[in-house]
């Protein structure tokens, strides 16, 4: 399973941005097994009469035969990514679809499109597509291929073809109805364990998210005070003779500490914070996946109940049950496999992220 | 010169104790008393421990001693006392005078004060200082009997009063500017340092939260569990390490504070000189005007306008006898005045000479002490970084085992 590695490396001829370089060095292990390389970059603002929005350039390089060409370049906006995600969820209800960055950020964002926000979003979108590319099943999804290759007009006409808004609404209504019914009776032990795990994990990862942000904030405030600290020593050295050099020395050291602090902060914001945030979103997604699996099982269970009560349409119902049993089994297996894969990834990501933090701190103190 | 008291006796302020008593208004008050121990320094070949003398003093007595020294030795830069109230506190430090950490730092500051006085070539020879160290009862009365309070010039208390000196001594003016600059830069530095300490404390302490979450998270993980758990432990160690680090830094801050207050003492010497110069100029001016008056009376010419002259013109001149008497008085006063001026000039020159000697001594001491303080600060920072390296190396190992 080549998907142990996270999908961010790409061919050396591509111009790389500094942040993707950081991601790249993690994945030198199995480059030869990858045959689909995707990058998201070059955000551009578009202003129309009705709205303002940002598009991102999506570049795909591949050696796969199902693709007509070996290189594609398209522009996509956030809405398009949302569409792709919902198509994938529809097609594979019990697979773990990677998270998209949030639509809006709550805290103190005055401008919807400030540079930091756009850059964070771009990185997350890049990760999203690469995770899909790495997934053994999702990578061969037809909508995914269209997303990567179709021109703008091709994509919008394709979008219109799917199940309409009404049918999607129908699904949601059924979902709500069955969740109201409460827990599933025949849920296999394994999935109950998963549920319990996810509840705790979700709690912990959210707390971690808060802690990591708090640390970043404290480091920033420390940095702000330090900026003032060095210059005072320089000022003092101006009134002194004998100790002027010592004072200037202290001032320059403090300034170096300032720079080191900046590096440490950058390390946090580029590595740890996005990873933790992604898993915060993942925990929501996983709860959703587990619910969907329960739903599918619920369908089966209600049919079995119906069989018990309605002897008359026995054959029809039995056939339906047969289909549903298959469905449930597929769903369960899919989830089981994907769960293992997700956990491996999570372990890897967390290990890498925290090790990176430790290294950054080491560099900070060494400097 | 090497006859300093500090060579003959060992002085320590070894303990601090909370006491309750009644103050001047018969109200109950709590204060801290400090134990001063003195022991004669034995020469090498005797090898015997001499007995320790001790007595208790409170902060207000130290203040009294210092005020006495300030008045008695106006040309000396008198070592400062540690602060009366906790200043430049960052949030964890208490501003309470009864707080044990504050009391401890004050104890060290008071010991330092006594050592500084004892190693000062001039101050250490003062008998009041010696009795402060050795005589328990009746010391206060002894000090008051010296009548130093009468000598204290109340004009010096008016900090902002300016004395318009016509011929200021350039060196003293420069020194005054320097002391102002030193005061302002050190207090700015201490303020920022306190804020930096506060922030640093925050960064370290928030890492402690990792410890708990990692531990709870490790409970649901199989392979990651051990790594998480032990990493959490290291985060706790990291968070706890800041307390000692910042406590050490407080000592550095105290060293800077001493020189912040020394700047005031330096300024005081300049002010005293200014005042002296002013008095000198006033006396000289007074003498000149008296001489002029005398001359006018003798020759009958009015050089300068004076109200007396006008009134006597309007209401008639005095008779010759009255005039003679006036001249006599004036001549006596002029004689007195010239003698006074002479002694004042002498006083002034002596003051300048001995003041500059002490100022040079002070400058050397200051440069030496501040350099050492900066070095020790750097050493502290290095040690803090070494601790950080150790913790994060351990943490990294734990993380990589996740």
């Amino acid at each position: 399973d080549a998907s142990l590695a996270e999908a961010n490396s790409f061919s050396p001829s591509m111009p790389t941005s500094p942040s993707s370089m950081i991601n790249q060095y993690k994945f030198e292990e199995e480059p030869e097994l990858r045959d689909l390389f995707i990058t998201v970059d070059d955000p551009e603002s578009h202003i129309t009469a009705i709205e303002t929005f940002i598009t991102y350039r999506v570049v795909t390089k591949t050696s796969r035969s199902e693709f007509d060409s070996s290189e594609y370049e398209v522009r996509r906006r956030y809405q398009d990514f949302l569409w792709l995600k919902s198509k994938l969820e529809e097609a594979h209800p019990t697979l773990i679809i990677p998270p998209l960055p949030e639509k809006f950020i709550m805290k103190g964002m005055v401008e919807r499109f400030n540079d930091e926000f756009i850059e964070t979003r771009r990185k997350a979108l890049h990760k999203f597509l690469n995770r899909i590319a790495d997934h053994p099943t999702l990578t061969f999804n037809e909508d995914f291929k269209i997303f990567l290759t179709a021109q703008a007009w091709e994509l919008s006409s394709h979008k219109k073809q799917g199940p309409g808004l009404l049918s999607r609404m129908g699904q949601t209504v059924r979902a709500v109805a069955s969740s109201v019914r409460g827990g599933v009776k025949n849920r296999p032990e394994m999935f109950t364990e998963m549920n319990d795990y996810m509840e705790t994990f979700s709690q912990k990862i959210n707390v971690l998210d808060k802690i990591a942000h708090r640390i970043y904030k404290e480091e920033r405030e420390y940095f702000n005070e330090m900026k003032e600290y060095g210059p005072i020593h320089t000022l003092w050295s101006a009134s002194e003779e004998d100790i002027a050099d010592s004072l200037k020395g202290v001032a320059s050291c403090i300034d170096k500490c300032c720079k080191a602090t900046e590096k440490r902060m950058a390390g946090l914001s580029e590595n740890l914070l996005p990873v933790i945030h992604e898993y915060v979103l993942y925990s929501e997604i996983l709860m959703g996946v587990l619910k969907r699996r329960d739903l599918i099982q619920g369908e089966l269970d209600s049919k079995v109940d119906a069989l018990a009560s309605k002897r008359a349409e026995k054959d029809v119902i039995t056939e339906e049950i047969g289909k549903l049993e298959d469905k449930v089994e597929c769903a369960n297996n899919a989830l089981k496999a994907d769960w293992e894969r997700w956990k491996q990834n999570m372990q890897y990501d967390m290990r890498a992220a925290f090790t990176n933090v430790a290294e950054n701190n080491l560099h900070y103190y060494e400097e | 010169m090497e006859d300093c008291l500090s060579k003959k006796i060992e002085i320590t302020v070894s303990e601090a104790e909370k006491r309750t008593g009644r103050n001047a208004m018969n109200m109950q008050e709590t204060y801290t008393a400090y134990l001063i121990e003195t022991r004669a320094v034995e020469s090498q070949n005797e090898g015997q421990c001499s007995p320790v003398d001790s007595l208790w003093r409170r902060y207000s007595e130290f203040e009294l001693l210092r005020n006495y020294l300030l008045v008695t030795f106006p040309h000396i830069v008198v070592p400062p006392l540690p602060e009366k109230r906790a200043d430049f506190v960052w949030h964890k430090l208490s501003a309470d005078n009864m707080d044990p950490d504050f009391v401890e730092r004050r104890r060290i500051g008071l010991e330092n004060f006594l050592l500084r006085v004892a190693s000062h070539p001039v101050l250490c020879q003062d008998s009041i200082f010696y009795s402060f160290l050795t005589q328990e009862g009746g010391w206060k009365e002894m000090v008051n009997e010296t009548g130093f309070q009468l000598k204290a010039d109340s004009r010096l208390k008016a900090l902002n009063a300016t004395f318009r000196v016509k011929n200021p001594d350039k060196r003293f003016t420069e020194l005054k500017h320097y002391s102002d600059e030193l005061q302002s830069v050190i207090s700015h530095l201490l303020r920022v340092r306190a804020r930096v300490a506060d922030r640093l404390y925050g960064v370290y302490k928030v890492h402690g939260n990792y410890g708990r979450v990692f531990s709870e998270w490790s409970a649901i993980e199989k392979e990651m569990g051990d790594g998480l758990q032990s990493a959490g432990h290291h985060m706790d160690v990291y968070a706890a390490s800041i307390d000692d680090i910042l406590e050490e830094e407080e000592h550095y801050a105290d060293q800077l504070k001493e020189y912040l207050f020394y700047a005031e003492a330096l300024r005081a010497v300049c002010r005293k000189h200014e005042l002296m110069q002013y008095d000198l100029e006033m006396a000289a001016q007074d003498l000149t005007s008296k001489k002029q008056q005398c001359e006018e009376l003798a020759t009958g010419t009015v050089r300068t306008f004076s109200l007396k002259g006008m009134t006597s013109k309007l209401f008639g001149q005095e008779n010759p006898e009255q005039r003679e008497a006036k001249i006599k008085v004036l001549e006596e006063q002029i004689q007195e005045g010239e003698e006074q001026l002479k002694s004042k000039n002498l006083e002034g020159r002596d003051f300048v000479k001995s003041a500059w000697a002490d100022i040079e001594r002070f400058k050397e001491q200051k440069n030496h002490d501040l350099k050492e303080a900066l070095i020790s600060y750097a050493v502290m920072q290095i040690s803090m970084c070494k601790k950080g390296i150790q913790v994060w190396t351990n943490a990294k190992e734990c993380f990589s085992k996740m």
Side-chain angles (χ1 to χ4, degrees):
Chain A
D1 188 3
S3 50
L4 266 181
E6 227 234 5
N8 274 318
S9 53
F10 33 79
S11 48
S13 58
M14 294 271 292
T16 58
S17 66
S19 56
S20 45
M21 296 276 257
I22 296 175
N23 282 328
Q24 186 177 28
Y25 91 94
K26 285 193 239 171
F27 312 110
E28 277 145 20
E29 15 209 26
E30 312 177 32
E32 23 353 301
L33 297 172
R34 311 214 42 242
D35 58 2
L36 188 64
F37 300 89
I38 308 174
T39 48
V40 176
D41 60 15
D42 190 34
E44 244 177 45
S45 184
H46 298 255
I47 307 176
T48 69
I50 322 167
E51 52 175 350
T52 315
F53 60 91
I54 306 251
T55 60
Y56 302 85
R57 184 176 74 150
V58 179
V59 178
T60 309
K61 288 193 179 177
T62 180
S63 52
R64 283 192 202 162
S65 47
E66 324 73 275
F67 285 78
D68 293 333
S69 163
S70 63
E71 247 186 77
Y72 291 92
E73 189 178 310
V74 294
R75 294 208 75 94
R76 296 283 178 253
R77 58 186 286 191
Y78 184 75
Q79 260 181 28
D80 301 328
F81 286 83
L82 278 176
W83 168 83
L84 175 61
K85 182 166 158 85
S86 70
K87 294 299 287 181
L88 290 173
E89 280 172 356
E90 236 181 82
H92 308 278
T94 58
L95 284 186
I96 302 171
I97 315 294
L100 273 177
E102 285 118 321
K103 215 157 169 33
F104 308 109
I105 310 278
M106 299 304 171
K107 283 201 230 171
M109 281 280 189
V110 182
E111 240 182 84
R112 207 163 64 124
F113 294 135
N114 83 13
D115 288 340
E116 219 181 289
F117 176 74
I118 293 173
E119 178 58 15
T120 313
R121 184 178 261 198
R122 183 199 66 77
K123 283 194 208 153
L125 292 174
H126 176 100
K127 208 164 209 185
F128 172 73
L129 289 179
N130 278 285
R131 285 218 190 262
I132 298 174
D134 262 357
H135 194 288
T137 312
L138 296 176
T139 190
F140 298 107
N141 180 284
E142 190 59 28
D143 289 311
F144 181 51
K145 176 154 167 272
I146 292 177
F147 179 91
L148 291 175
T149 59
Q151 290 306 307
W153 60 268
E154 286 176 317
L155 182 65
S156 36
S157 79
H158 176 83
K159 275 192 195 178
K160 291 187 181 122
Q161 287 169 22
L165 187 62
L166 283 173
S167 88
R168 265 185 274 143
M169 273 175 66
Q171 277 177 6
T172 322
V173 170
R174 263 180 283 151
V176 171
S178 45
S179 67
V180 166
R181 222 190 298 134
V184 180
K185 317 172 266 186
N186 300 320
R187 187 198 282 157
E189 178 71 25
M190 168 173 63
F191 296 111
T192 309
E193 276 174 20
M194 267 189 212
N195 224 301
D196 292 339
Y197 173 88
M198 275 324 293
E199 266 179 32
T200 312
F201 180 85
S202 173
Q203 247 181 37
K204 300 310 159 198
I205 199 73
N206 271 291
V207 173
L208 262 181
D209 186 52
K210 287 201 186 81
I211 295 175
H213 274 103
R214 179 80 189 281
I215 290 182
Y216 182 79
K217 180 171 157 267
E218 294 286 339
E219 280 187 13
R220 152 148 287 149
E221 312 243 345
Y222 172 70
F223 171 72
N224 285 336
E225 298 295 350
M226 282 291 269
K227 272 196 292 195
E228 226 191 292
Y229 196 36
I232 297 178
H233 292 79
T234 314
L235 184 68
W236 184 359
S237 72
S239 343
E240 297 288 341
E241 286 159 10
D242 262 33
I243 59 173
D245 287 333
S246 314
L247 285 169
K248 281 192 206 144
V250 172
S252 87
C253 287
I254 293 179
D255 287 338
K256 284 204 191 115
C257 287
C258 259
K259 291 205 173 69
T261 302
E262 252 186 325
K263 264 200 224 165
R264 184 160 80 157
M265 272 163 48
L268 263 189
S269 90
E270 277 172 28
N271 290 307
L272 187 67
L273 295 183
V275 170
I276 295 188
H277 192 69
E278 199 194 7
Y279 279 90
V280 166
L281 295 173
Y282 254 129
S283 65
E284 282 171 35
I285 287 171
L286 272 150
M287 295 302 274
V289 167
L290 287 168
K291 276 215 180 72
R292 284 202 292 272
R293 191 218 68 87
D294 284 349
L295 256 179
I296 293 173
Q297 175 152 350
E299 277 179 40
L300 172 63
D301 290 346
S302 71
K303 282 292 176 193
V304 170
D305 288 346
L307 182 66
S309 57
K310 291 182 188 172
R311 292 284 161 177
E313 297 148 357
K314 205 164 116 173
D315 292 335
V316 178
I317 297 181
T318 312
E319 197 186 323
E320 283 179 12
I321 288 180
K323 284 199 193 130
L324 283 170
E325 276 174 351
D326 285 341
K327 192 175 175 192
V328 168
E329 186 155 339
C330 277
N332 287 352
N333 289 339
L335 179 55
K336 198 165 137 190
D338 217 20
W339 171 265
E340 283 311 313
R341 190 176 160 269
W342 178 83
K343 286 214 61 187
Q344 292 267 27
N345 274 351
M346 187 270 284
Q347 192 169 324
Y348 180 89
D349 288 344
M350 288 300 172
R351 174 172 58 222
F354 281 107
T355 310
N356 178 271
V357 168
E359 270 174 22
N360 284 347
N361 276 299
L362 278 177
H363 288 145
Y364 168 77
Y365 281 116
E366 276 162 14
E367 271 181 59
Chain B
M1 243 295 261
E2 291 316 300
D3 241 322
C4 283
L5 196 60
S6 57
K7 302 282 177 180
K8 296 191 203 149
I9 60 172
E10 247 175 58
I11 307 172
T12 50
V13 177
S14 50
E15 275 172 49
E17 214 179 68
K18 233 194 232 175
R19 300 262 178 94
T20 47
R22 294 211 170 264
N23 65 8
M25 298 193 287
N26 210 29
M27 295 200 310
Q28 195 172 42
E29 57 165 2
T30 333
Y31 63 91
T32 314
Y34 299 87
L35 183 66
I36 303 178
E37 289 182 336
T38 48
R39 184 160 73 87
V41 171
E42 293 299 323
S43 51
Q44 294 286 22
N45 32 21
E46 290 211 31
Q48 259 185 348
C49 242
S50 60
V52 176
D53 279 330
S54 64
L55 46 78
W56 293 90
R57 294 252 182 248
R58 54 185 293 190
Y59 188 82
S60 55
E61 293 176 274
F62 280 85
E63 276 184 313
L64 185 60
L65 172 66
R66 186 164 191 270
N67 288 337
Y68 163 79
L69 291 172
L70 278 171
V71 174
T72 316
F73 301 94
H75 55 285
I76 300 285
V77 183
V78 177
L81 285 171
E83 50 192 355
K84 204 171 169 75
R85 263 163 281 280
D87 222 343
F88 304 110
V89 285
W90 55 282
H91 93 276
K92 201 208 157 205
L93 238 42
S94 164
D96 173 19
N97 283 2
M98 288 294 152
D99 177 77
D101 283 332
F102 178 76
V103 169
E104 172 61 15
R105 289 190 6 253
R106 188 188 255 195
R107 181 194 67 74
I108 296 173
L110 291 174
E111 185 177 283
N112 190 52
F113 167 74
L114 292 177
L115 290 172
R116 291 253 192 233
V117 177
S119 46
H120 191 285
V122 174
L123 297 176
C124 69
Q125 303 182 27
D126 186 88
S127 55
I128 295 285
F129 173 61
Y130 189 73
S131 334
F132 181 87
L133 295 173
T134 53
Q135 187 181 316
E136 178 119 43
W139 177 80
K140 256 203 198 141
E141 290 72 17
M142 193 194 279
V143 184
N144 290 329
E145 264 164 41
T146 62
F148 81 93
Q149 271 119 344
L150 301 168
K151 280 193 246 161
D153 199 329
S154 57
R155 289 179 293 172
L156 283 168
K157 293 223 178 104
L159 289 166
N160 289 329
T162 43
F163 304 102
R164 213 132 325 118
V165 172
K166 292 202 185 107
N167 294 316
D169 185 326
K170 225 190 214 159
R171 292 179 302 166
F172 277 100
T173 318
E174 273 171 22
L175 191 65
K176 193 149 94 115
H177 281 155
Y178 171 74
S179 72
D180 285 340
E181 276 169 17
L182 190 68
Q183 220 176 349
S184 122
V185 89
I186 293 186
S187 68
H188 190 195
L189 199 153
L190 286 171
R191 259 198 312 267
V192 176
R193 192 211 72 87
R195 291 205 299 258
V196 168
D198 211 5
R199 290 300 165 199
L200 194 62
Y201 183 79
V203 171
Y204 271 76
K205 284 299 175 189
V206 182
H207 278 85
N209 292 331
Y210 272 146
R212 212 189 70 232
V213 181
F214 281 174
S215 166
E216 289 168 4
W217 181 6
S218 71
I220 57 171
E221 295 290 344
K222 293 189 192 101
E223 289 161 28
M224 281 170 74
D226 287 335
L228 268 177
Q229 178 91 326
S230 31
H233 162 74
H234 291 297
M235 291 297 101
D236 286 333
V237 168
Y238 182 70
S241 69
I242 191 67
D243 293 310
D244 285 342
I245 292 170
L246 286 177
E247 207 185 289
E248 253 197 282
E249 264 199 34
E250 277 313 307
H251 291 296
Y252 168 70
D254 284 339
Q255 284 174 296
L256 290 183
K257 263 183 228 171
E258 197 196 9
Y259 277 93
L260 176 67
F261 302 141
Y262 251 127
E264 263 180 64
L266 202 60
R267 198 165 178 277
V269 172
C270 295
R271 294 274 293 165
K272 283 175 209 156
H273 174 260
E274 217 176 56
L275 205 58
M276 229 183 218
Q277 181 79 348
Y278 178 78
D279 280 348
L280 191 80
E281 286 181 2
M282 285 292 111
Q285 211 177 318
D286 189 58
L287 189 64
T288 320
S289 87
K290 284 210 164 79
K291 281 188 179 162
Q292 241 169 23
Q293 272 181 14
C294 205
E295 198 196 314
E296 283 163 20
L297 281 175
T299 60
T301 54
V302 182
R303 287 260 190 90
T304 53
F305 175 81
S306 74
L307 195 57
K308 220 166 184 192
M310 278 310 289
T311 49
S312 53
K313 266 212 162 143
L314 290 169
F315 297 107
Q317 300 245 344
E318 315 135 310
N319 61 35
E321 286 95 21
Q322 281 176 322
R323 229 185 330 142
E324 279 304 316
K326 273 217 178 97
I327 293 176
K328 199 82 194 252
V329 167
L330 274 175
E331 277 177 350
E332 272 176 29
Q333 286 180 340
I334 289 171
Q335 181 90 324
E336 254 180 64
E338 277 184 341
E339 276 174 26
Q340 262 192 15
L341 195 61
K342 223 192 246 169
S343 73
K344 268 201 163 79
N345 260 312
L346 215 63
E347 220 188 301
R349 272 199 285 272
D350 279 343
F351 181 94
V352 170
K353 196 166 119 200
S354 36
W356 273 105
D358 198 50
I359 286 164
E360 288 305 320
R361 183 204 61 81
F362 168 74
K363 273 192 189 155
E364 264 189 57
Q365 177 196 295
K366 170 204 72 150
N367 287 333
H368 174 265
D369 289 348
L370 286 177
K371 222 180 232 174
E372 284 213 357
L374 289 172
I375 290 173
S376 81
Y377 184 64
V379 169
M380 268 185 247
Q381 299 303 308
I382 292 175
S383 132
M384 169 174 99
C385 289
K386 282 207 176 124
K387 281 189 203 166
I389 288 177
Q390 193 179 44
V391 166
W392 284 100
T393 309
N394 292 338
K396 181 176 166 186
E397 223 188 285
C398 296
F399 286 136
S400 55
K401 290 200 190 127
M402 256 159 69

